[in-house]
């Protein structure tokens, strides 16, 4: 399986000539080639995760694509003529060869309270993507996507989160709010404070991939 980082919070997984796109939001410039996208997951309603134009661009090349998201996104997309399947609570879906495990959680508080509901996502045993939360799962995965910027972000909390989720590798995501200097400092604090220093930490720029 191949993992590609696009802008901000957007990740693309490729498996057996099928692509899964996660959070193609407003800070993400999608590539021209969007073929073989069978599934899209939008984890929350905020604009850095949910962008109607990007969803329409994906659908223009993949008219049969299935989109999963929260109730709020499903309702907003329906007003724009897009069909989005709403996920709530804890659900497992098999979609085009992927096993998707959804965990409906509260978005991490920005100021005292959570601003919305969010979906954390496990894809097979390959990737765990918490969206804008620090929701810990017990399962072990190959890659843990670690958010490294945001108005709700605190480095101490994300280090604790990263040390609680079992993975062989970590990838920085949700990082468009940082400058390159900010990313360097944040990535350094995070990687140096992993309790298991045998874990690999990846900082990919938009368009870069790993396996």
């Amino acid at each position: 399986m191949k993992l590609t980082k696009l802008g901000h919070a957007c990740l693309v997984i490729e498996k057996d000539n099928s692509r899964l796109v996660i959070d193609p939001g407003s800070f993400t410039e999608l590539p021209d080639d969007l073929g073989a996208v069978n599934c899209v997951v939008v984890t929350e309603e905020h604009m850095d995760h949910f962008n109607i134009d990007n969803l329409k661009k994906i659908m223009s090349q993949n008219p049969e694509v299935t989109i999963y998201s929260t109730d709020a996104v499903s309702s907003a997309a329906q007003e724009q003529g897009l069909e989005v399947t709403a996920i709530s609570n804890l659900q497992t879906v098999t979609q085009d060869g992927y096993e998707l495990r959804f965990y409906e959680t509260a978005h991490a508080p920005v100021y005292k309270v959570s601003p919305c509901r969010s979906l954390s996502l496990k894809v097979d045993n390959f990737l765990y993507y918490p969206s804008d939360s620090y929701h810990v799962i017990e399962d072990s995965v190959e890659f843990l996507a670690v958010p490294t910027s945001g108005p709700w972000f605190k480095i101490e909390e994300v280090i604790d989160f990263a040390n609680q989720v079992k993975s062989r590798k970590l990838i920085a995501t949700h990082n468009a709010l940082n400058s390159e200097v900010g990313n360097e400092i944040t990535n350094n604090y995070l990687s140096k404070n992993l309790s298991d220093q045998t874990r690999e930490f990846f900082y990919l720029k938009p368009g870069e991939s790993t396996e």
Side-chain angles (χ1 to χ4, degrees), residues 8-11 22-23 41-46 48-50 69-70 73 102-108 116-122 127-136 144-150 152-153 158 161 173-175:
H8 190 51
C10 187
L11 298 176
I22 303 170
D23 282 349
V41 176
V42 177
T43 62
E44 62 170 79
E45 64 205 68
H46 290 161
D48 57 328
H49 298 256
F50 171 40
S69 193
T70 62
V73 170
F102 294 99
Y103 310 81
E104 185 186 17
T105 66
H107 186 294
C116 67
R117 303 300 289 172
S118 181
L119 296 176
S120 297
L121 172 68
K122 183 170 79 75
L127 172 73
Y128 178 55
Y129 176 93
S131 188
D132 290 9
S133 81
Y134 300 123
H135 180 73
V136 174
L144 170 63
V146 184
T148 58
S149 78
W152 49 274
F153 170 81
V158 80
F161 165 74
T173 187
H174 203 278
N175 49 14

Side-chain angles (χ1 to χ4, degrees), residues 186-204:
T186 301
N187 295 340
N188 182 67
Y189 270 109
L190 176 55
S191 60
K192 297 298 184 185
N193 285 284
L194 294 174
S195 55
D196 180 356
Q197 285 292 307
T198 66
R199 299 167 78 188
E200 295 182 76
F201 180 82
F202 292 83
Y203 171 56
L204 301 181

Side-chain angles (χ1 to χ4, degrees), residues 17-30:
N17 298 315
S18 174
R19 286 174 172 173
L20 165 66
V21 178
I22 303 170
D23 282 349
S26 297
F27 300 158
T28 299
E29 183 177 349
L30 293 174

Side-chain angles (χ1 to χ4, degrees), residues 122 124-126 137-142 165-168:
K122 183 170 79 75
D124 297 338
N125 289 317
F126 179 69
I137 61 170
E138 295 183 1
D139 297 344
S140 179
V141 293
E142 184 73 8
V165 178
K166 298 183 288 291
S167 71
R168 290 205 316 115

